[in-house]
Amino acid sequence: MALNKKSVDDINVKGKRVLVRCDFNVPLKGGEITDDTRIKAALPTIQKLLKDGGKVILCSHLGKVKNGPNEGESLAPVAKRLEEVLGQSVNFVSDYNVTGEAATKAVADMKEGEVVLLQNTRFRGTEETKNGEEFSKELADLADVYVCDAFGSSHRAHASVAGVTKFISEKGGENAVGYLMQKEIDFLGNAVENPVRPFVAILGGAKVADKLNVINNLLEKCDTLIIGGGMAYTFIKAQGYEIGKSLCDDEKLDYCKEMMEKAEKMGKKILLPVDSVTISDFPNPIDADVSADVQNCDITAMPADREGCDIGPKSAEMFADAVKSAKTVVWNGPMGVFENPTLAAGTLAVAKALAETDATTIIGGGDSAAAVNQMGYADKMSHISTGGGASLEFLEGKELPGVMAADDK
């Protein structure tokens, strides 16, 4: 998947209207932004385009927008925060139609180096459907050049992510990727397609079903595949062991056997937990104090009435050892119920091992990114992906619509 896409460094935007698809899908509480990481991550691309004399029109979705447009999912708080971090005024067009008269006028009045932010793209129901042609064309009508910098949405063939590029191309415009997208393509693409070896992949999280294709694809690419989290128990049961009340995808037992056989044939290592931290019942609420209920046991001797909720200390040490000798490590999915302080030790041990290695370390978004941030190791990682679902599909070897839609160099 050698992706040689035009980036913002390859295009001339002087005096041009540049539509930039960002990922401003930030968490809100009572109308206030609780984490502005995604807004700050978009700044390098926006600043580059402004410096080069572009008229910068920003768009993004926010939330799932189930019941039509509503103020609770308006991008107004984003506009306010963006003004603060960018240090210049942002003209927010609050029109629920997104590309209506208000937007057209705001763009027509723009001067070089100015910024307009459009309303939540999902307020137009057609953003996510196959009937997005009209909306795609209206977005393209506002601009001369299109830049996609929303990796977290790049696995969706939405109007503002991929659909718009066709109409930009038709009028002779260019479609490029922003710095954030470029970084994702470089790190994730190279890790999977051209890794410095030994290459260790670590997969965790709850279900095998969510990561079927990732397991299969990474097994072909990596030297060692480490499996932890809830999904490990399906593999352990497939080996014939008792797993008690632990999570299990019974329909995937044969698949797990097949993967273990495939690894053996290919001379690859699959590392599974050798011990487990068990509790009698899943914590409710998830961060409830379960310290009095915890028992460590070997995987070969799990009680039938208990549930595995984290890898045990022997497994944590074994996984950390495998990471020490690696040159490239990709990690997606926690090792246990990391939201609970008592059940976070396995995830913490893996994060620490990654922080201490000289290898290129790539965190594949989602819960792993949350865990690394929460545990204070974010600055020790080579790259933390901004897209959960998009990272997974990239690791599966799928082509992402938002990436493929950009022009080749």
Side-chain angles (χ1 to χ4, degrees):
M1 207 195 300
L3 297 165
N4 203 14
K5 296 293 179 183
K6 270 187 189 170
S7 87
V8 285
D9 290 327
D10 304 313
I11 55 176
N12 174 16
V13 298
K14 175 100 178 115
K16 292 180 184 168
R17 301 167 302 161
V18 190
L19 179 69
V20 187
R21 176 53 157 100
C22 299
D23 183 4
F24 291 148
N25 187 22
V26 292
L28 292 170
K29 199 170 184 180
E32 294 293 319
I33 296 169
T34 55
D35 180 357
D36 64 1
T37 308
R38 288 180 169 171
I39 296 175
K40 287 179 172 159
L43 291 179
T45 295
I46 297 169
Q47 285 162 335
K48 159 77 175 161
L49 295 168
L50 290 171
K51 186 169 141 281
D52 290 356
K55 301 172 182 179
V56 178
I57 308 147
L58 306 173
C59 67
S60 174
H61 78 282
L62 175 67
K64 299 236 186 294
V65 190
K66 290 271 183 274
N67 307 311
N70 65 87
E71 270 312 293
E73 287 166 315
S74 164
L75 283 179
V78 172
K80 185 174 159 237
R81 186 74 191 108
L82 186 59
E83 277 196 343
E84 292 165 9
V85 294
L86 196 55
Q88 75 174 75
S89 70
V90 172
N91 182 6
F92 176 53
V93 183
S94 60
D95 176 12
Y96 284 1
N97 186 45
V98 189
T99 52
E101 275 176 42
T104 309
K105 182 175 180 335
V107 170
D109 293 343
M110 287 180 88
K111 296 183 178 63
E112 288 181 16
E114 290 186 345
V115 181
V116 163
L117 172 64
L118 303 178
Q119 186 54 281
N120 189 339
T121 54
R122 288 194 185 167
F123 281 4
R124 281 288 288 270
T126 52
E127 155 81 327
E128 303 173 72
T129 65
K130 298 228 171 6
N131 318 321
E133 289 265 299
E134 188 188 340
F135 184 36
S136 298
K137 184 174 186 317
E138 286 173 23
L139 284 167
D141 286 345
L142 292 174
D144 308 302
V145 177
Y146 171 75
V147 173
C148 186
D149 210 21
F151 182 73
S153 302
S154 64
H155 57 314
R156 312 262 184 229
H158 290 172
S160 67
V161 176
V164 60
T165 58
K166 170 184 153 189
F167 297 102
I168 291 282
S169 296
E170 277 177 9
K171 58 180 184 181
E174 293 178 287
N175 300 291
V177 296
Y179 288 134
L180 206 55
M181 284 277 280
Q182 188 62 53
K183 195 174 173 215
E184 297 278 7
I185 293 167
D186 290 347
F187 271 101
L188 285 167
N190 283 335
V192 177
E193 295 307 321
N194 193 17
V196 183
R197 299 189 182 276
F199 173 24
V200 174
I202 308 169
L203 292 178
K207 294 187 182 141
V208 172
D210 296 344
K211 300 203 170 128
L212 290 179
N213 299 331
V214 184
I215 295 168
N216 196 13
N217 191 42
L218 285 179
L219 202 49
E220 301 199 347
K221 317 275 188 191
C222 70
D223 302 298
T224 301
L225 178 60
I226 294 174
I227 295 176
M231 62 192 286
Y233 296 101
T234 307
F235 279 87
I236 289 158
K237 187 172 178 178
Q239 289 179 317
Y241 295 118
E242 168 69 60
I243 59 165
K245 299 195 294 192
S246 308
L247 273 180
C248 186
D249 284 3
D250 281 323
E251 290 168 16
K252 300 289 177 276
L253 290 168
D254 287 342
Y255 173 83
C256 292
K257 286 178 189 159
E258 206 181 292
M259 288 300 113
M260 291 188 280
E261 282 162 18
K262 178 176 172 170
E264 203 169 330
K265 274 187 196 138
M266 294 175 74
K268 306 285 179 87
K269 259 193 224 162
I270 290 187
L271 292 184
L272 292 165
V274 290
D275 57 347
S276 175
V277 176
T278 69
I279 53 177
S280 49
D281 284 301
F282 196 84
N284 183 16
I286 201 158
D287 57 355
D289 184 5
V290 292
S291 50
D293 181 33
V294 161
Q295 284 177 19
N296 283 350
C297 61
D298 278 357
I299 281 302
T300 53
M302 269 189 85
D305 60 347
R306 293 182 71 80
E307 179 172 352
C309 283
D310 191 15
I311 57 171
K314 290 184 208 160
S315 307
E317 198 177 323
M318 175 175 82
F319 292 176
D321 278 347
V323 166
K324 274 177 197 156
S325 56
K327 289 278 182 279
T328 306
V329 187
V330 172
W331 177 23
N332 186 289
M335 297 292 101
V337 187
F338 79 101
E339 300 89 342
N340 189 301
T342 310
L343 305 169
T347 303
L348 182 59
V350 168
K352 187 171 182 287
L354 263 68
E356 289 170 356
T357 176
D358 295 331
T360 298
T361 49
I362 297 154
I363 312 299
D367 281 342
S368 326
V372 168
N373 281 317
Q374 200 177 303
M375 290 164 175
Y377 287 121
D379 60 337
K380 301 278 195 297
M381 304 300 158
S382 311
H383 179 63
I384 298 178
S385 179
T386 50
S391 314
L392 268 184
E393 293 198 11
F394 214 74
L395 294 175
E396 278 177 36
K398 279 189 184 170
E399 292 189 338
L400 307 186
V403 177
M404 302 320 291
D407 300 340
D408 292 325
K409 275 191 190 177

